[in-house]
Coordinates of all heavy atoms in Angstrom, one line a residue:
M1 N -75.9 -228.5 -6.5 CA -75.6 -229.2 -7.7 C -75.8 -228.3 -8.9 O -76.8 -227.6 -8.8 CB -76.5 -230.4 -7.7 CG -76.3 -231.3 -8.8 SD -77.3 -232.9 -8.9 CE -76.7 -233.7 -7.6
S2 N -75.0 -228.2 -9.7 CA -75.1 -227.4 -10.9 C -76.2 -227.9 -11.9 O -76.5 -229.2 -11.8 CB -73.8 -227.2 -11.7 OG -73.4 -228.3 -12.5
K3 N -76.7 -227.2 -12.8 CA -77.6 -227.6 -13.8 C -77.1 -228.8 -14.6 O -77.8 -229.8 -15.0 CB -78.1 -226.5 -14.7 CG -79.0 -225.5 -14.0 CD -79.5 -224.5 -14.8 CE -80.4 -223.5 -14.2 NZ -81.0 -222.6 -15.1
L4 N -75.7 -228.6 -14.9 CA -75.1 -229.8 -15.7 C -75.0 -230.9 -15.0 O -75.4 -232.1 -15.4 CB -73.7 -229.3 -16.1 CG -72.9 -230.1 -17.0 CD1 -73.8 -230.2 -18.4 CD2 -71.6 -229.4 -17.4
E5 N -74.7 -230.9 -13.7 CA -74.6 -232.1 -12.9 C -76.1 -232.8 -12.7 O -76.1 -233.9 -12.7 CB -74.1 -231.8 -11.5 CG -72.6 -231.4 -11.4 CD -72.1 -230.8 -10.1 OE1 -72.9 -230.2 -9.5 OE2 -71.0 -231.1 -9.9
E6 N -77.0 -231.9 -12.6 CA -78.3 -232.4 -12.5 C -78.8 -233.1 -13.8 O -79.4 -234.2 -13.8 CB -79.4 -231.3 -12.3 CG -79.4 -230.6 -10.8 CD -80.4 -229.6 -10.7 OE1 -81.3 -229.3 -11.5 OE2 -80.1 -228.7 -9.7
L7 N -78.5 -232.6 -14.9 CA -78.7 -233.3 -16.2 C -78.1 -234.6 -16.3 O -78.7 -235.5 -16.7 CB -78.4 -232.3 -17.4 CG -78.6 -233.0 -18.8 CD1 -80.0 -233.4 -19.1 CD2 -78.0 -232.0 -19.8
Q8 N -76.7 -234.6 -15.9 CA -76.0 -235.8 -16.0 C -76.6 -236.8 -15.1 O -76.7 -238.0 -15.4 CB -74.5 -235.5 -15.5 CG -73.7 -236.8 -15.5 CD -72.3 -236.4 -14.9 OE1 -71.7 -235.3 -15.2 NE2 -71.6 -237.5 -14.2
S9 N -76.9 -236.5 -13.9 CA -77.6 -237.4 -12.9 C -79.0 -238.0 -13.4 O -79.1 -239.0 -13.3 CB -77.7 -236.6 -11.6 OG -78.4 -237.4 -10.7
Y10 N -79.7 -237.1 -14.0 CA -81.0 -237.4 -14.5 C -80.8 -238.4 -15.7 O -81.5 -239.4 -15.7 CB -81.8 -236.2 -14.9 CG -83.2 -236.7 -15.5 CD1 -84.1 -237.0 -14.5 CD2 -83.5 -236.6 -16.9 CE1 -85.4 -237.4 -15.1 CE2 -84.6 -237.0 -17.4 CZ -85.7 -237.4 -16.5 OH -86.9 -237.8 -16.9
I11 N -80.0 -238.2 -16.5 CA -79.7 -239.1 -17.7 C -79.3 -240.5 -17.1 O -79.7 -241.5 -17.6 CB -78.7 -238.6 -18.7 CG1 -79.4 -237.3 -19.5 CG2 -78.4 -239.6 -19.8 CD1 -78.4 -236.7 -20.4
T12 N -78.4 -240.4 -16.2 CA -77.8 -241.6 -15.6 C -79.1 -242.5 -15.0 O -79.2 -243.7 -15.2 CB -76.7 -241.3 -14.6 OG1 -75.7 -240.7 -15.2 CG2 -76.3 -242.6 -13.9
E13 N -80.0 -241.7 -14.2 CA -81.1 -242.3 -13.7 C -81.9 -243.0 -14.6 O -82.5 -244.1 -14.4 CB -81.8 -241.3 -12.8 CG -83.0 -241.7 -12.1 CD -83.8 -240.6 -11.4 OE1 -83.2 -239.7 -10.9 OE2 -85.1 -240.7 -11.4
V14 N -82.2 -242.2 -15.6 CA -83.2 -242.9 -16.8 C -82.4 -244.0 -17.3 O -83.2 -245.1 -17.4 CB -83.5 -241.7 -17.8 CG1 -84.0 -242.4 -18.9 CG2 -84.3 -240.7 -17.2
C15 N -81.3 -244.0 -17.6 CA -80.5 -245.2 -18.2 C -80.6 -246.5 -17.3 O -80.8 -247.5 -17.7 CB -79.2 -244.9 -18.6 SG -79.0 -243.7 -20.0
V16 N -80.3 -246.1 -16.1 CA -80.3 -247.2 -15.1 C -81.6 -247.8 -14.7 O -81.9 -249.0 -14.8 CB -79.4 -246.7 -13.7 CG1 -79.6 -247.8 -12.7 CG2 -78.0 -246.6 -14.2
T17 N -82.6 -246.9 -14.4 CA -83.9 -247.3 -13.8 C -84.9 -247.7 -14.9 O -85.8 -248.5 -14.7 CB -84.6 -246.3 -12.9 OG1 -84.7 -245.2 -13.5 CG2 -83.6 -246.1 -11.7
K18 N -84.9 -247.0 -16.1 CA -86.0 -247.2 -17.0 C -85.5 -248.1 -18.2 O -86.2 -248.6 -18.9 CB -86.4 -245.9 -17.6 CG -87.2 -245.1 -16.6 CD -87.8 -243.8 -17.0 CE -88.6 -243.1 -16.0 NZ -89.4 -242.0 -16.4
M19 N -84.1 -248.1 -18.4 CA -83.6 -248.8 -19.6 C -82.8 -250.0 -19.1 O -82.2 -250.7 -20.0 CB -82.9 -247.9 -20.6 CG -83.8 -246.9 -21.1 SD -83.0 -245.9 -22.5 CE -82.4 -244.5 -21.6
N20 N -82.6 -250.3 -17.8 CA -81.8 -251.3 -17.3 C -80.4 -251.3 -17.9 O -79.8 -252.4 -18.2 CB -82.5 -252.6 -17.6 CG -83.7 -252.7 -16.8 OD1 -83.8 -252.4 -15.6 ND2 -84.8 -253.3 -17.6
M21 N -79.7 -250.2 -18.0 CA -78.4 -250.1 -18.4 C -77.4 -249.7 -17.2 O -77.9 -249.3 -16.2 CB -78.2 -248.9 -19.5 CG -79.2 -249.1 -20.7 SD -79.1 -247.7 -21.8 CE -77.5 -247.7 -22.4
E22 N -76.1 -249.9 -17.4 CA -75.3 -249.6 -16.4 C -74.8 -248.2 -16.6 O -74.8 -247.6 -17.6 CB -73.9 -250.5 -16.6 CG -74.1 -251.9 -16.3 CD -72.8 -252.7 -16.2 OE1 -71.8 -252.1 -16.0 OE2 -73.0 -253.9 -16.3
A23 N -74.6 -247.5 -15.3 CA -74.2 -246.2 -15.4 C -72.7 -246.1 -15.9 O -71.9 -247.0 -15.6 CB -74.1 -245.5 -13.9
P24 N -72.4 -245.0 -16.6 CA -71.1 -245.0 -17.2 C -70.0 -244.8 -16.0 O -70.3 -244.2 -15.0 CB -71.0 -243.7 -18.0 CG -72.2 -243.1 -17.7 CD -73.2 -243.9 -17.1
Q25 N -68.8 -245.4 -16.1 CA -67.9 -245.4 -15.1 C -67.1 -244.0 -15.2 O -66.8 -243.5 -14.1 CB -66.8 -246.5 -15.4 CG -67.4 -247.9 -15.1 CD -68.0 -248.1 -13.9 OE1 -67.4 -247.8 -12.9 NE2 -69.2 -248.7 -13.8
E26 N -67.0 -243.3 -16.3 CA -66.3 -242.1 -16.4 C -67.2 -241.3 -17.3 O -67.8 -241.7 -18.4 CB -64.9 -242.3 -17.1 CG -64.0 -242.9 -16.2 CD -62.6 -242.9 -16.8 OE1 -62.3 -242.1 -17.6 OE2 -61.9 -243.9 -16.5
I27 N -67.3 -240.0 -16.9 CA -68.0 -239.0 -17.8 C -66.9 -237.9 -18.3 O -66.1 -237.4 -17.5 CB -69.0 -238.2 -16.9 CG1 -70.1 -239.1 -16.3 CG2 -69.7 -237.1 -17.6 CD1 -71.0 -239.7 -17.3
N28 N -66.9 -237.9 -19.6 CA -66.2 -236.8 -20.3 C -67.1 -235.9 -20.9 O -67.8 -236.3 -21.9 CB -65.2 -237.7 -21.3 CG -64.4 -236.6 -22.1 OD1 -64.4 -235.4 -21.9 ND2 -63.4 -237.2 -22.7
L29 N -67.1 -234.7 -20.5 CA -68.0 -233.7 -21.0 C -67.7 -233.4 -22.4 O -68.6 -232.7 -23.1 CB -67.9 -232.4 -20.2 CG -68.5 -232.6 -18.7 CD1 -68.3 -231.3 -17.9 CD2 -69.9 -233.2 -18.7
E30 N -66.6 -233.8 -22.9 CA -66.4 -233.6 -24.3 C -67.1 -234.7 -25.4 O -67.4 -234.5 -26.4 CB -64.8 -233.7 -24.7 CG -64.0 -232.9 -23.7 CD -63.8 -231.5 -24.4 OE1 -63.6 -231.4 -25.6 OE2 -63.8 -230.5 -23.5
D31 N -67.4 -235.7 -24.7 CA -67.9 -236.9 -25.5 C -69.5 -236.4 -25.8 O -70.2 -235.7 -25.1 CB -68.0 -238.1 -24.7 CG -66.6 -238.9 -24.7 OD1 -65.8 -238.6 -25.5 OD2 -66.5 -239.8 -23.8
N32 N -70.0 -237.1 -26.9 CA -71.4 -236.9 -27.1 C -72.1 -237.8 -26.3 O -71.7 -238.8 -25.7 CB -71.7 -237.0 -28.7 CG -71.5 -238.4 -29.2 OD1 -72.0 -239.3 -28.6 ND2 -70.8 -238.5 -30.3
V33 N -73.5 -237.4 -26.2 CA -74.4 -238.2 -25.3 C -74.4 -239.6 -25.6 O -74.5 -240.6 -24.8 CB -75.7 -237.4 -25.1 CG1 -76.8 -238.4 -24.4 CG2 -75.5 -236.1 -24.6
E34 N -74.6 -240.0 -26.9 CA -74.7 -241.4 -27.3 C -73.5 -242.2 -26.9 O -73.7 -243.2 -26.4 CB -74.9 -241.4 -28.8 CG -76.4 -241.0 -29.2 CD -76.5 -241.1 -30.8 OE1 -75.5 -241.3 -31.5 OE2 -77.6 -241.0 -31.3
K35 N -72.4 -241.6 -27.1 CA -71.1 -242.3 -26.8 C -71.0 -242.3 -25.2 O -70.6 -243.6 -24.7 CB -69.9 -241.6 -27.3 CG -68.5 -242.2 -27.0 CD -67.4 -241.4 -27.5 CE -66.1 -242.1 -27.2 NZ -64.9 -241.3 -27.7
M36 N -71.2 -241.3 -24.5 CA -71.0 -241.2 -23.0 C -71.9 -242.3 -22.4 O -71.4 -243.0 -21.5 CB -71.4 -239.9 -22.7 CG -71.1 -239.6 -21.1 SD -71.5 -238.0 -20.6 CE -70.9 -236.9 -21.9
F37 N -73.1 -242.5 -22.8 CA -74.1 -243.3 -22.2 C -74.3 -244.6 -22.9 O -75.2 -245.5 -22.6 CB -75.3 -242.6 -21.9 CG -75.2 -241.6 -20.8 CD1 -75.0 -240.3 -21.2 CD2 -75.2 -241.9 -19.5 CE1 -74.8 -239.3 -20.3 CE2 -75.1 -240.8 -18.6 CZ -74.9 -239.5 -19.0
Q38 N -73.6 -244.9 -24.0 CA -73.6 -246.0 -24.9 C -75.1 -246.3 -25.3 O -75.6 -247.4 -25.2 CB -73.1 -247.3 -24.3 CG -71.7 -247.1 -23.9 CD -70.9 -248.3 -23.2 OE1 -71.6 -249.1 -22.7 NE2 -69.6 -248.2 -23.1
L39 N -75.7 -245.3 -25.9 CA -77.0 -245.3 -26.4 C -77.2 -245.7 -27.9 O -76.4 -245.1 -28.7 CB -77.7 -244.1 -26.2 CG -77.8 -243.5 -24.7 CD1 -78.3 -242.1 -24.6 CD2 -78.6 -244.4 -23.8
D40 N -78.1 -246.7 -28.2 CA -78.5 -246.9 -29.6 C -79.7 -246.0 -29.8 O -80.0 -245.1 -29.0 CB -78.7 -248.4 -29.8 CG -80.0 -249.0 -28.9 OD1 -80.7 -248.1 -28.5 OD2 -80.0 -250.1 -28.7
S41 N -80.1 -246.2 -31.1 CA -81.2 -245.3 -31.6 C -82.5 -245.4 -30.7 O -83.1 -244.4 -30.4 CB -81.4 -245.4 -32.9 OG -81.9 -246.8 -33.2
I42 N -82.8 -246.6 -30.3 CA -84.0 -246.9 -29.5 C -83.9 -246.2 -28.1 O -84.7 -245.6 -27.6 CB -84.3 -248.3 -29.4 CG1 -84.7 -248.7 -30.8 CG2 -85.5 -248.5 -28.4 CD1 -84.9 -250.3 -31.0
S43 N -82.7 -246.5 -27.5 CA -82.4 -245.9 -26.2 C -82.4 -244.4 -26.2 O -82.9 -243.8 -25.2 CB -81.0 -246.3 -25.7 OG -81.0 -247.8 -25.5
M44 N -81.9 -243.9 -27.3 CA -81.9 -242.4 -27.4 C -83.2 -241.8 -27.4 O -83.4 -240.8 -26.9 CB -81.1 -242.0 -28.7 CG -80.6 -240.5 -28.7 SD -79.5 -240.0 -27.4 CE -80.1 -238.3 -27.4
M45 N -84.1 -242.5 -28.1 CA -85.6 -241.9 -28.3 C -86.2 -242.1 -26.9 O -87.0 -241.1 -26.6 CB -86.3 -242.9 -29.3 CG -86.1 -242.6 -30.8 SD -86.3 -240.8 -31.1 CE -88.0 -240.5 -30.7
E46 N -85.9 -243.0 -26.1 CA -86.5 -243.3 -24.8 C -85.9 -242.1 -23.9 O -86.7 -241.5 -23.2 CB -86.1 -244.6 -24.2 CG -86.4 -244.7 -22.7 CD -87.9 -245.1 -22.5 OE1 -88.5 -245.5 -23.4 OE2 -88.3 -244.8 -21.4
L47 N -84.7 -241.8 -24.0 CA -84.1 -240.7 -23.3 C -84.7 -239.4 -23.7 O -85.1 -238.5 -22.8 CB -82.6 -240.6 -23.5 CG -81.9 -239.4 -22.8 CD1 -82.1 -239.6 -21.3 CD2 -80.4 -239.5 -23.1
I48 N -85.0 -239.2 -25.0 CA -85.5 -237.9 -25.4 C -87.0 -237.6 -24.8 O -87.3 -236.6 -24.5 CB -85.5 -237.8 -27.0 CG1 -84.0 -237.5 -27.4 CG2 -86.3 -236.6 -27.5 CD1 -83.8 -237.8 -28.9
V49 N -87.8 -238.7 -24.8 CA -89.1 -238.7 -24.4 C -89.0 -238.3 -22.8 O -89.7 -237.4 -22.4 CB -89.8 -240.0 -24.4 CG1 -91.1 -240.0 -23.7 CG2 -90.1 -240.3 -25.9
N50 N -88.1 -238.8 -22.2 CA -87.8 -238.5 -20.7 C -87.5 -237.0 -20.5 O -88.0 -236.3 -19.6 CB -87.1 -239.5 -20.1 CG -87.7 -240.8 -19.6 OD1 -88.4 -240.9 -18.7 ND2 -87.5 -241.7 -20.5
L51 N -86.6 -236.6 -21.4 CA -86.0 -235.2 -21.3 C -87.2 -234.2 -21.5 O -87.3 -233.1 -21.0 CB -84.8 -235.0 -22.3 CG -83.5 -235.7 -21.8 CD1 -82.4 -235.7 -22.9 CD2 -83.0 -235.2 -20.4
E52 N -87.9 -234.6 -22.6 CA -89.1 -233.6 -23.0 C -90.0 -233.5 -21.8 O -90.4 -232.3 -21.5 CB -89.8 -234.2 -24.1 CG -89.2 -234.1 -25.5 CD -89.9 -234.8 -26.7 OE1 -90.6 -235.8 -26.4 OE2 -89.9 -234.3 -27.7
E53 N -90.3 -234.5 -21.2 CA -91.2 -234.5 -19.9 C -90.5 -233.6 -18.8 O -91.1 -232.8 -18.2 CB -91.5 -235.9 -19.4 CG -92.4 -236.0 -18.4 CD -92.7 -237.4 -17.9 OE1 -93.3 -238.1 -18.8 OE2 -92.5 -237.8 -16.9
R54 N -89.3 -233.9 -18.6 CA -88.6 -233.2 -17.5 C -88.5 -231.7 -17.7 O -88.6 -231.0 -16.7 CB -87.1 -233.9 -17.2 CG -86.4 -233.0 -16.3 CD -85.8 -233.9 -15.2 NE -85.0 -233.2 -14.4 CZ -84.6 -233.5 -13.1 NH1 -85.2 -234.7 -12.8 NH2 -84.0 -233.0 -12.4
Y55 N -88.1 -231.4 -18.9 CA -87.9 -229.9 -19.3 C -89.0 -229.3 -19.8 O -89.0 -228.1 -20.2 CB -86.6 -229.9 -20.2 CG -85.4 -230.0 -19.5 CD1 -84.8 -231.3 -19.4 CD2 -84.6 -229.0 -19.0 CE1 -83.6 -231.5 -18.6 CE2 -83.5 -229.1 -18.3 CZ -83.0 -230.5 -18.2 OH -81.8 -230.6 -17.4
G56 N -90.2 -230.0 -20.0 CA -91.4 -229.3 -20.4 C -91.3 -228.7 -21.9 O -91.7 -227.7 -22.2
C57 N -90.7 -229.6 -22.7 CA -90.5 -229.1 -24.1 C -90.8 -230.2 -25.1 O -91.0 -231.4 -24.8 CB -89.1 -228.5 -24.3 SG -87.8 -229.9 -24.2
K58 N -90.8 -230.0 -26.4 CA -91.0 -230.8 -27.4 C -89.9 -230.8 -28.4 O -89.6 -229.6 -28.9 CB -92.4 -230.6 -28.1 CG -92.5 -231.5 -29.3 CD -92.9 -233.0 -29.0 CE -93.1 -233.9 -30.0 NZ -92.4 -235.0 -30.1
V59 N -89.1 -231.8 -28.6 CA -88.0 -231.8 -29.5 C -88.6 -232.0 -31.0 O -89.3 -233.1 -31.2 CB -86.9 -232.9 -29.2 CG1 -85.9 -233.0 -30.3 CG2 -86.4 -232.7 -27.9
P60 N -88.4 -231.2 -31.9 CA -88.9 -231.3 -33.3 C -88.2 -232.4 -33.9 O -87.0 -232.7 -33.6 CB -88.5 -230.0 -34.0 CG -88.1 -229.1 -32.9 CD -87.7 -229.8 -31.7
D61 N -89.0 -233.2 -34.8 CA -88.4 -234.2 -35.5 C -87.1 -234.1 -36.2 O -86.2 -234.9 -36.2 CB -89.4 -234.8 -36.5 CG -90.6 -235.5 -36.0 OD1 -90.6 -235.8 -34.7 OD2 -91.4 -235.6 -36.6
E62 N -86.8 -232.7 -36.6 CA -85.6 -232.5 -37.4 C -84.5 -232.4 -36.5 O -83.3 -232.4 -37.0 CB -85.8 -231.2 -38.3 CG -86.1 -229.9 -37.5 CD -87.7 -229.8 -37.5 OE1 -88.4 -230.7 -37.6 OE2 -88.0 -228.6 -37.1
D63 N -84.7 -232.2 -35.1 CA -83.6 -232.1 -34.2 C -83.3 -233.5 -33.6 O -82.3 -233.6 -33.0 CB -83.9 -231.2 -33.0 CG -84.0 -229.8 -33.6 OD1 -83.6 -229.5 -34.7 OD2 -84.5 -228.9 -32.8
L64 N -84.1 -234.5 -33.8 CA -83.8 -235.9 -33.1 C -82.5 -236.4 -33.3 O -81.8 -236.8 -32.4 CB -84.9 -236.8 -33.5 CG -86.4 -236.4 -32.9 CD1 -87.4 -237.5 -33.5 CD2 -86.5 -236.4 -31.4
A65 N -82.0 -236.4 -34.5 CA -80.8 -237.2 -34.9 C -79.8 -236.4 -34.3 O -78.7 -237.1 -33.9 CB -80.7 -237.3 -36.4
E66 N -79.7 -235.2 -34.3 CA -78.5 -234.3 -33.7 C -78.4 -234.3 -32.1 O -77.4 -234.1 -31.7 CB -78.4 -233.0 -34.2 CG -79.6 -232.1 -33.6 CD -79.6 -230.7 -34.2 OE1 -79.5 -230.5 -35.5 OE2 -79.6 -229.8 -33.4
L67 N -79.5 -234.7 -31.3 CA -79.4 -234.6 -30.1 C -78.3 -235.6 -29.4 O -77.6 -235.1 -28.5 CB -80.7 -234.8 -29.4 CG -81.7 -233.6 -29.3 CD1 -82.9 -234.0 -28.4 CD2 -81.0 -232.3 -29.0
G68 N -78.2 -236.7 -29.9 CA -77.4 -237.8 -29.4 C -75.9 -237.4 -29.6 O -74.9 -237.8 -29.1
L69 N -75.7 -236.4 -30.7 CA -74.3 -236.0 -31.0 C -73.9 -234.8 -30.3 O -72.6 -234.4 -30.4 CB -74.3 -235.7 -32.6 CG -74.7 -236.9 -33.4 CD1 -74.7 -236.4 -34.9 CD2 -73.9 -238.1 -33.1
K70 N -74.7 -234.3 -29.4 CA -74.3 -233.2 -28.5 C -73.6 -233.6 -27.2 O -73.8 -234.6 -26.7 CB -75.5 -232.4 -28.1 CG -76.2 -231.6 -29.3 CD -77.5 -230.8 -28.8 CE -78.1 -230.1 -29.9 NZ -77.4 -229.0 -30.6
S71 N -72.7 -232.7 -26.8 CA -72.1 -232.9 -25.4 C -73.1 -232.6 -24.4 O -74.2 -232.1 -24.7 CB -70.8 -232.1 -25.4 OG -71.1 -230.8 -25.3
L72 N -72.8 -233.0 -23.2 CA -73.8 -232.7 -22.1 C -74.0 -231.1 -22.0 O -75.3 -230.7 -21.8 CB -73.3 -233.3 -20.8 CG -73.7 -234.6 -20.4 CD1 -73.2 -235.0 -19.0 CD2 -75.2 -234.8 -20.4
P73 N -73.0 -230.3 -22.0 CA -73.2 -228.8 -21.9 C -74.1 -228.3 -23.1 O -74.9 -227.5 -23.0 CB -71.8 -228.2 -22.0 CG -71.0 -229.3 -21.4 CD -71.5 -230.6 -21.9
E74 N -73.8 -228.9 -24.4 CA -74.6 -228.5 -25.5 C -76.1 -229.0 -25.3 O -76.9 -228.3 -25.7 CB -73.9 -229.1 -26.8 CG -72.6 -228.5 -27.2 CD -72.0 -229.3 -28.3 OE1 -72.3 -230.5 -28.5 OE2 -71.1 -228.8 -28.9
L75 N -76.3 -230.2 -24.9 CA -77.6 -230.6 -24.6 C -78.3 -229.9 -23.6 O -79.4 -229.5 -23.8 CB -77.5 -232.1 -24.3 CG -78.9 -232.8 -24.0 CD1 -79.8 -232.8 -25.3 CD2 -78.6 -234.2 -23.5
L76 N -77.6 -229.4 -22.6 CA -78.4 -228.6 -21.6 C -78.7 -227.2 -22.2 O -79.9 -226.8 -21.9 CB -77.3 -228.4 -20.4 CG -77.9 -227.5 -19.2 CD1 -79.2 -228.1 -18.6 CD2 -76.9 -227.3 -18.2
D77 N -77.9 -226.7 -22.9 CA -78.2 -225.4 -23.6 C -79.3 -225.6 -24.5 O -80.2 -224.6 -24.5 CB -77.1 -224.9 -24.4 CG -75.9 -224.3 -23.5 OD1 -76.1 -224.0 -22.3 OD2 -74.8 -224.2 -24.0
Y78 N -79.5 -226.5 -25.2 CA -80.5 -226.9 -26.3 C -81.8 -227.1 -25.4 O -82.9 -226.5 -25.7 CB -80.3 -228.2 -27.0 CG -81.5 -228.6 -27.9 CD1 -81.5 -227.9 -29.2 CD2 -82.3 -229.4 -27.4 CE1 -82.6 -228.3 -29.9 CE2 -83.5 -229.8 -28.2 CZ -83.6 -229.2 -29.5 OH -84.7 -229.5 -30.3
L79 N -81.9 -227.9 -24.5 CA -83.1 -228.1 -23.6 C -83.5 -226.8 -22.9 O -84.8 -226.6 -22.9 CB -82.8 -229.3 -22.6 CG -82.6 -230.7 -23.2 CD1 -82.1 -231.6 -22.1 CD2 -84.0 -231.2 -23.8
E80 N -82.7 -226.1 -22.4 CA -82.9 -224.9 -21.6 C -83.6 -223.8 -22.6 O -84.5 -223.1 -22.3 CB -81.8 -224.3 -20.8 CG -81.5 -225.1 -19.6 CD -80.6 -224.4 -18.8 OE1 -79.7 -223.8 -19.3 OE2 -80.7 -224.7 -17.5
G81 N -83.1 -223.8 -23.8 CA -83.6 -222.9 -24.9 C -85.0 -223.2 -25.3 O -85.7 -222.5 -25.8
R82 N -85.4 -224.5 -25.2 CA -86.7 -225.0 -25.6 C -87.7 -225.1 -24.5 O -88.9 -225.3 -24.7 CB -86.5 -226.3 -26.3 CG -85.7 -226.3 -27.6 CD -86.0 -227.4 -28.5 NE -87.1 -227.4 -29.0 CZ -87.6 -226.6 -30.2 NH1 -86.8 -225.8 -30.6 NH2 -89.0 -226.7 -30.4
S83 N -87.0 -225.0 -23.2 CA -87.9 -225.4 -22.1 C -89.1 -224.2 -21.7 O -88.7 -223.1 -21.8 CB -87.0 -225.6 -20.9 OG -87.7 -225.8 -19.7
V84 N -90.2 -224.7 -21.2 CA -91.1 -223.6 -20.9 C -91.0 -223.4 -19.3 O -91.5 -222.4 -18.9 CB -92.6 -224.3 -21.0 CG1 -92.9 -224.4 -22.5 CG2 -92.8 -225.6 -20.3
H85 N -90.0 -224.1 -18.6 CA -89.6 -224.0 -17.4 C -88.5 -223.0 -17.1 O -88.0 -222.7 -16.1 CB -89.4 -225.2 -16.6 CG -90.5 -226.3 -16.7 ND1 -91.8 -226.0 -16.4 CD2 -90.5 -227.5 -17.2 CE1 -92.5 -227.0 -16.6 NE2 -91.7 -228.0 -17.0
A86 N -87.8 -222.7 -18.2 CA -86.6 -221.9 -18.1 C -86.8 -220.5 -17.6 O -87.9 -219.9 -17.6 CB -85.9 -221.7 -19.5

């Protein structure tokens, strides 16, 4: 499984198990994360907290708003760039 597939799977798992949301039927890697997973601002914050824990990083406040606007490949690059596990 690629790192991108792992990220997609993890986000889907968080949405389904922790936020009681339905998994998206189709994944378009061009879509931003908020659109792809139908996240509102509260759901996005929950996801960011989980991603910070998984990737061992802290997302600065000034980056919070833009994370949901990133595509999955862009989000993966961002998280790996900030990760202490990279």
Side-chain angles (χ1 to χ4, degrees):
M1 184 181 290
S2 74
K3 289 181 179 186
L4 188 59
E5 290 169 327
E6 286 177 18
L7 176 60
Q8 176 185 327
S9 176
Y10 181 72
I11 293 174
T12 300
E13 177 185 328
V14 168
C15 289
V16 171
T17 62
K18 295 188 178 188
M19 295 189 266
N20 297 317
M21 300 172 72
E22 289 187 27
Q25 297 301 314
E26 289 185 32
I27 298 291
N28 179 350
L29 295 180
E30 309 268 323
D31 285 344
N32 67 51
V33 173
E34 286 178 350
K35 179 179 178 184
M36 187 181 315
F37 293 95
Q38 299 179 351
L39 302 174
D40 60 18
S41 59
I42 294 171
S43 300
M44 192 63 209
M45 285 304 301
E46 174 77 18
L47 177 60
I48 289 170
V49 167
N50 282 277
L51 290 172
E52 286 176 330
E53 185 177 300
R54 170 123 178 164
Y55 284 86
C57 65
K58 177 70 177 130
V59 176
D61 290 345
E62 61 268 14
D63 291 353
L64 292 175
E66 72 182 47
L67 280 191
L69 303 177
K70 292 184 180 297
S71 66
L72 273 180
E74 292 168 339
L75 180 60
L76 180 61
D77 288 345
Y78 176 87
L79 291 169
E80 287 187 329
R82 300 201 62 82
S83 177
V84 295
H85 303 306

